Amino acid sequence: ISKSFPLKCFTFPFNTFADDETFALAVGQTLVVPEGVMPEAPASAKPRLGPRITPDAGTIAGTGQFVWPAQGQISQRPVWYHMAVDIANRAAPDVLAADSGTVVLAGFPDRSGYGNRVIIDHGNGFQTLYAHMSRYRAGLSVGSRVRQGQIIGYVGKTGLATAPHLHYEFLVGGVHKNPVKVVLPRANPMPKAL
């Protein structure tokens, strides 16, 4: 590392070094550069989290209008290093499919910080990821087709989570988008008497 390297990089809380005295980096290590500028994602970015599955004719495809996946309080909003929303709720409520689609990943396959997770491909360029769940719904597996609002799992704290919450990611064409800014459909008011 050259002497012109910003001091902020050495003191940034998410940066660690192979040797704290020489600030040596390991091959493949990620380094956060505070106030750095992220390069634009190429237009042909490939999905990073799961393969895109195009539904067969007559199968469940997403509507492109999404519902909120869990009840709770937003405990972490999207920022450049965490392009997701964390929805905290100690009562461990149901996690719902934000839109109809096909499950492309279910479980804890790589022992990563995500813990138990489900990725749904909505068949229209959209994918959603639901992580840290205590478990996913019985019978749910890769290839399962789910409908918007259907239970897919339960809020939990698996992986690198310190309290029960749902980590919710939203991807368009394989590129992370801010889930809070996704335009959701307007709901009709509930009838006064059922």
Side-chain angles (χ1 to χ4, degrees), residues 3 10 18 52 70 72 86 90 117 120 132 166 180 194:
K3 291 185 179 185
F10 297 120
R52 184 169 188 271
D86 289 346
R90 292 190 184 280
R117 65 189 178 275
I120 299 174
H132 301 310
L166 173 67
V180 176
L194 294 176

Side-chain angles (χ1 to χ4, degrees), residues 43-184:
S44 63
K46 301 283 184 210
R48 294 176 20 190
L49 300 174
R52 184 169 188 271
I53 295 177
T54 303
D56 299 325
T59 62
I60 298 171
T63 64
Q65 297 185 342
F66 295 81
V67 297
W68 201 241
Q71 292 180 339
Q73 184 174 16
I74 294 177
S75 60
Q76 172 71 54
R77 291 190 174 277
V79 291
W80 63 270
Y81 59 87
H82 180 267
M83 192 47 69
V85 65
D86 289 346
I87 305 166
N89 191 328
R90 292 190 184 280
D94 302 337
V95 175
L96 309 177
D99 197 5
S100 301
T102 303
V103 174
V104 295
L105 187 141
F108 196 168
D110 54 6
R111 301 316 222 191
S112 73
Y114 282 120
N116 286 329
R117 65 189 178 275
V118 169
I119 299 174
I120 299 174
D121 187 311
H122 303 287
N124 50 16
F126 298 117
Q127 282 189 328
T128 49
L129 177 144
Y130 313 79
H132 301 310
M133 295 189 297
S134 60
R135 66 189 189 284
Y136 49 93
R137 188 190 82 220
L140 191 76
S141 62
V142 172
S144 294
R145 292 179 172 92
V146 295
R147 294 200 181 278
Q148 184 182 59
Q150 185 176 3
I151 296 171
I152 58 170
Y154 306 91
V155 170
K157 60 177 184 174
T158 60
L160 296 177
T162 57
H165 71 279
L166 173 67
H167 174 92
Y168 176 59
E169 295 182 11
F170 191 90
L171 294 95
V172 178
V175 178
H176 284 88
K177 299 293 181 182
N178 182 340
V180 176
K181 293 186 177 180
V182 173
V183 178
L184 299 175

